[in-house]
Structure formats: C-alpha cells, structure tokens
Amino acid sequence: MRKMLRTGAAALMLTCMAGNVWAAAETAANGCANQRDMTALKAAAVQQKLMVAALSCNAIQVYNDFVHAYQKELQASDRALQNFFRRLNGATGTADYHAFKTKLANSSSMQSIGDMPSYCAGAKETFDNALNGDKKNLEVFVSTQSTSVDNAYAPCPVPVVTARATPPKPAAVKPAAAKASN
C-alpha cells in the first residue's frame, strides 16, 4: 500500500513538473504573458511614465521617493521583464528588453510634449496613488494603472489539471472450486 502511495505521489509530482514546463514552453511559443509578466510590463510602463514626468514636470524629488518606496520590487520586476523577453526570444531577448524600455520612454516623452499640463496632472495623480495613504505593493499598485501595454500581450492560458476518476475495483470472484464445495 505504501509503495503504491509513493508511486502515486511521484507520478503526481512529475505530472505537475511537466505541466510547469509545458506552461513555460507555451508562454514562449505563443508570446503570451502570464500574471508575473504583465506586472513587470505594466511596472516598466508606469516607471517610464514617472521618469519622464520627473524631468518634464519638475518632479525629480517625488520620482526619487517613488523609486525609494518600491526599490526592491522595481528591481525584481525589472529582472522578471528581462526574463520575459529572453523567454520570448533567447537570441534577441536582451535587445528586445532594451528596445521595449526605450519605446516606453519615447512614447511617454512624446505624450508629455504633446500636452504638458495634462501629462503632468496625470503623473501627479499617479505619484499620489503610489505614495499617499496605505503603501501598496508594486503589483497591486500597477494593476490599478492604465498603461499602453495593457492589451499588448495576450494572457497565457492557465493550464487546468483535472483528476481522473479511478475506475472501481472489480468485485472479487470466488474460484469455481470454492463454489462446488459449498
């Protein structure tokens, strides 16, 4: 009985590990973004917007406060973003990561040039949401922000593991010799 239990547990563990490998391969193959990827993409978009605001809207101190408040999470998110682009395309992933960040910064810069008062007002609201009141974690904070990357990547399908019903054990059959002696 114990051997069967251990074998079943090992089989379940291998199935789960294979599912994780499959999910990672699916992410890379489809160019989809899982929850961690989307958080990293959105965090980069928000940070680039605020960095441009620091320079364009004379908000350097409040930007420094933002970076200081979320420093560890921003660093972890940036590593996750790099990993995302490397997973999408190992050969050009690092260059794709840098191009993505540059594109975000350029887009934010163009928005600020197009309508500076509106851009600075939006950035002030974002800074206020990030820094005032109860400090949220980065994932919660960026999930409330509307960004240019919100619809840029399809969400990865979530693999669903279902348990198979085990067939009932066949009823014990008495040998014919036992029936004859009764």
Side-chain angles (χ1 to χ4, degrees):
M1 178 70 169
R2 279 187 180 201
K3 184 177 181 182
M4 200 159 68
L5 207 70
R6 277 188 260 149
T7 303
L12 180 61
M13 183 181 71
L14 289 173
T15 301
C16 291
M17 286 173 33
N20 289 341
V21 169
W22 172 80
E26 186 72 17
T27 299
N30 291 338
C32 63
N34 61 36
Q35 184 61 42
R36 181 179 171 106
D37 301 331
M38 281 308 301
T39 297
L41 290 160
K42 287 178 70 77
V46 169
Q47 186 175 13
Q48 292 302 316
K49 170 186 173 182
L50 297 179
M51 181 189 65
V52 169
L55 302 171
S56 301
C57 307
N58 196 26
I60 293 170
Q61 184 56 53
V62 71
Y63 175 74
N64 288 339
D65 293 343
F66 166 77
V67 171
H68 181 72
Y70 292 95
Q71 184 173 8
K72 288 181 181 179
E73 291 174 280
L74 287 167
Q75 290 169 340
S77 179
D78 197 56
R79 284 189 300 275
L81 185 65
Q82 290 175 28
N83 291 335
F84 170 70
F85 282 105
R86 288 183 192 131
R87 193 172 64 240
L88 287 181
N89 189 342
T92 63
T94 300
D96 295 344
Y97 158 81
H98 289 295
F100 175 77
K101 299 262 303 219
T102 300
K103 182 178 176 184
L104 288 174
N106 288 342
S107 175
S108 290
S109 183
M110 294 305 293
Q111 288 173 1
S112 73
I113 290 169
D115 186 358
M116 186 71 72
S118 177
Y119 186 85
C120 292
K124 182 186 180 322
E125 184 178 329
T126 303
F127 280 127
D128 288 346
N129 288 334
L131 298 172
N132 295 336
D134 293 333
K135 182 182 173 289
K136 307 166 186 99
N137 69 37
L138 183 66
E139 181 176 4
V140 171
F141 167 65
V142 300
S143 73
T144 66
Q145 301 301 302
S146 178
T147 70
S148 61
V149 300
D150 290 347
N151 299 313
Y153 295 90
C156 294
V158 178
V160 177
V161 178
T162 58
R164 296 174 95 187
T166 54
K169 292 183 179 181
V173 179
K174 293 184 180 181
K179 285 183 183 177
S181 63
N182 286 338

